[in-house]
């Protein structure tokens, strides 16, 4: 299993990255403020538009270090990748299946089955752990609905129907999300999912977390030889990592949603970490991004037992494990793609 190394996050938009020997150098106002050995890094994520030197980009590409560029509010912009080393036969199989809806839906429904299963588990666990503080009956009712949705998803053979089932399940799940916020209710509330731009503190954190997760999934898929831009559920669109978006559906609730709830309920994120722009968009301050990313790095290093592999791995390696299982299925080593079903 691949080893999880450090991710370097550059949260300030006025910092420039360059290369000096085997080190990435962080510059601010043309002055060095830090340096980190490249061999300690698995990925670099930088926020803002100052950029990085071509020499550093080349070094990252040669060493298979993911270098991702994000806007100041966490929207994915671009990623530097090296020479294409994907398995040609594997990718040809991926492309062939993606062109056939009846074959694509067989894989897509397992992504969505994992998504709904894990969302249901989030509600079940909340009802169990906070039965005296939450409307447990409401959560149980919503959970039962998601259980019924899972049965329909298993039997689904049509892409349009699957899309409808996924949307309905997501709506039911998010209809209870505000209930799960137990602290700081005046400043952290959820009245529905909104994005492009997010209009409240909770949606700002969800969008930020999903962007980070999408980058992780894209890198994991490339690492096993798959093309992250050609999906089975999300349709192809120039510049969109459709397969990465497919894969991350399974992890949204257990990796990002629960994480965001923890940040709020443990008061790690504070109201002053957010700014509202003139158009109503809510973004995190630099201090807020630092607090979020510090906790995110810790989350990725937590150990779990993978439900299918039976191995202990870090949370941060779960997208890689699932990418590996997807590749094994496409090669014919598995009868079907096993979704990540966490409990």
């Amino acid at each position: 299993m691949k080893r999880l190394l450090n991710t370097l996050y550059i949260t300030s938009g006025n910092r420039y990255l360059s290369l000096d020997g085997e080190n990435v150098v962080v510059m601010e106002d043309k002055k060095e403020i830090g340096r980190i050995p490249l061999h300690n890094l698995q990925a670099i994520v930088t926020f803002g538009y100052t950029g990085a030197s071509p020499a550093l980009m080349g070094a990252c590409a040669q060493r298979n270090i993911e270098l991702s560029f994000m806007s100041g509010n966490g929207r994915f912009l671009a990623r530097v990748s090296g020479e294409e080393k994907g398995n040609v036969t594997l990718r040809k199989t991926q492309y062939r299946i993606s062109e056939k809806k009846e074959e694509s839906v067989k894989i897509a429904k397992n992504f969505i089955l994992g998504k709904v299963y894990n969302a249901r588990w989030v509600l079940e666990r909340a009802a169990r752990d906070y039965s005296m503080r939450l409307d447990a009956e409401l959560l149980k009712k919503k959970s039962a609905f998601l259980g019924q949705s899972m049965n329909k998803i298993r039997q689904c053979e049509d892409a349009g129907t699957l899309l409808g089932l996924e949307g309905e399940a997501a709506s039911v799940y998010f209809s209870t999300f505000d209930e799960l916020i137990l602290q700081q209710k005046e400043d952290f509330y959820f009245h529905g999912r909104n994005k492009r731009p997010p209009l409240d503190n909770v949606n700002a954190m969800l969008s930020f977390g999903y962007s980070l997760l999408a980058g992780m999934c894209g890198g994991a898929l490339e690492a096993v030889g798959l093309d992250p831009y050609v999906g089975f559920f999300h349709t192809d669109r120039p510049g969109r990592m459709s397969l990465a978006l497919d894969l991350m559906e399974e992890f949204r609730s257990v990796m990002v949603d629960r994480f965001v709830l923890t940040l709020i309920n443990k008061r790690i994120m504070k109201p002053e970490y957010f700014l509202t722009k003139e158009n109503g968009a809510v973004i995190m301050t630099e201090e807020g991004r630092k607090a979020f990313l510090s906790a995110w790095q810790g989350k990725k290093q937590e150990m779990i037992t993978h439900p299918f592999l039976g191995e202990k791995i870090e949370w941060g390696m779960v997208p890689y494990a699932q990418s590996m299982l997807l590749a094994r299925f496409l090669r014919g080593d598995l009868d079907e793609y096993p979704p990540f079903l966490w409990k």
Side-chain angles (χ1 to χ4, degrees):
M1 179 65 72
K2 184 179 177 183
R3 189 162 66 97
L4 180 67
L5 297 176
N6 295 320
T7 298
L8 172 63
Y9 294 103
I10 307 299
T11 58
S12 178
N14 62 346
R15 291 174 182 169
Y16 181 77
L17 304 179
S18 63
L19 180 71
D20 182 14
E22 292 295 310
N23 300 288
V24 54
V25 179
V26 184
M27 309 287 290
E28 186 171 5
D29 296 327
K30 298 183 179 180
K31 295 181 181 179
E32 180 180 329
I33 63 171
R35 61 174 52 215
I36 300 95
L38 285 172
H39 68 262
N40 288 337
L41 297 175
Q42 179 174 321
I44 301 172
V45 182
T46 181
F47 297 86
Y49 300 96
T50 305
S53 72
L56 177 62
M57 293 183 195
C60 288
Q62 288 177 348
R63 293 162 176 78
N64 199 28
I65 297 173
E66 301 166 24
L67 175 55
S68 299
F69 297 91
M70 316 282 277
S71 69
N73 60 0
R75 182 172 58 85
F76 175 81
L77 297 174
R79 185 173 70 248
V80 173
S81 59
E83 180 183 356
E84 184 55 65
K85 297 183 176 69
N87 182 299
V88 174
T89 304
L90 176 63
R91 290 200 174 202
K92 286 178 70 175
T93 301
Q94 177 189 356
Y95 299 149
R96 177 184 59 78
I97 293 177
S98 72
E99 292 295 323
K100 297 183 178 180
K101 290 185 178 181
E102 65 276 10
E103 291 190 43
S104 289
V105 76
K106 294 177 182 178
I107 304 173
K109 70 179 183 180
N110 279 12
F111 291 136
I112 304 308
L113 185 65
K115 175 179 182 174
V116 178
Y117 178 97
N118 291 328
R120 186 186 186 196
W121 175 81
V122 169
L123 301 186
E124 287 285 342
R125 181 158 184 170
R128 183 194 70 192
D129 293 347
Y130 303 102
S131 59
M132 302 300 292
R133 302 180 64 182
L134 298 173
D135 187 343
E137 286 301 316
L138 174 64
L139 296 180
K140 289 287 186 180
K141 181 179 178 181
K142 301 294 185 179
S143 173
F145 181 92
L146 295 182
Q148 295 172 359
S149 296
M150 289 170 58
N151 292 330
K152 295 177 182 178
I153 291 168
R154 289 189 183 95
Q155 300 169 9
C156 182
E157 297 180 357
D158 174 74
T161 302
L162 180 62
L163 181 63
L165 290 171
E166 183 272 337
E168 185 181 43
S171 178
V172 168
Y173 165 71
F174 274 125
S175 72
T176 68
F177 201 73
D178 192 61
E179 288 276 329
L180 308 183
I181 299 172
L182 305 176
Q183 301 289 339
Q184 309 185 87
K185 295 286 285 188
E186 289 187 7
D187 298 295
F188 294 92
Y189 49 82
F190 185 85
H191 297 155
R193 181 76 179 108
N194 51 68
K195 48 190 174 180
R196 302 189 190 93
L199 302 176
D200 56 63
N201 297 347
V202 177
N203 274 290
M205 285 191 287
L206 290 174
S207 292
F208 191 70
Y210 293 153
S211 292
L212 295 173
L213 181 59
M216 290 171 59
C217 290
L221 289 163
E222 286 186 337
V224 301
L226 290 166
D227 186 339
Y229 290 89
V230 178
F232 304 114
F233 180 66
H234 290 84
T235 56
D236 295 343
R237 184 183 300 171
R240 182 166 81 170
M241 295 191 294
S242 296
L243 187 58
L245 295 177
D246 287 354
L247 186 68
M248 70 178 279
E249 293 290 359
E250 304 173 41
F251 317 131
R252 286 177 182 266
S253 60
V254 287
M255 287 191 71
V256 176
D257 299 355
R258 289 189 69 232
F259 175 71
V260 166
L261 289 170
T262 297
L263 294 182
I264 298 170
N265 292 335
K266 290 189 174 181
R267 300 181 180 272
I268 296 171
M269 295 300 287
K270 304 173 183 179
E272 55 264 34
Y273 288 167
F274 298 86
L275 294 174
T276 302
K277 301 176 74 173
E278 291 182 359
N279 65 350
V282 176
I283 62 173
M284 276 187 271
T285 65
E286 182 181 345
E287 188 178 8
R289 287 199 299 268
K290 286 180 179 179
F292 189 103
L293 291 169
S294 176
W296 178 254
Q297 195 72 350
K299 169 68 176 179
K300 291 198 300 179
Q301 293 169 351
E302 292 177 4
M303 300 295 295
I304 65 165
T305 300
H306 191 281
F308 182 82
L309 297 173
E311 296 180 21
K312 286 191 174 183
I313 62 173
E314 300 98 335
W315 263 115
M317 292 308 302
V318 170
Y320 176 81
Q322 292 303 120
S323 297
M324 181 181 65
L325 291 171
L326 178 59
R328 287 176 60 185
F329 164 70
L330 293 175
R331 290 191 182 102
D333 297 334
L334 295 173
D335 292 334
E336 66 175 337
Y337 166 70
F340 181 76
L341 305 178
W342 181 244
K343 191 171 183 179

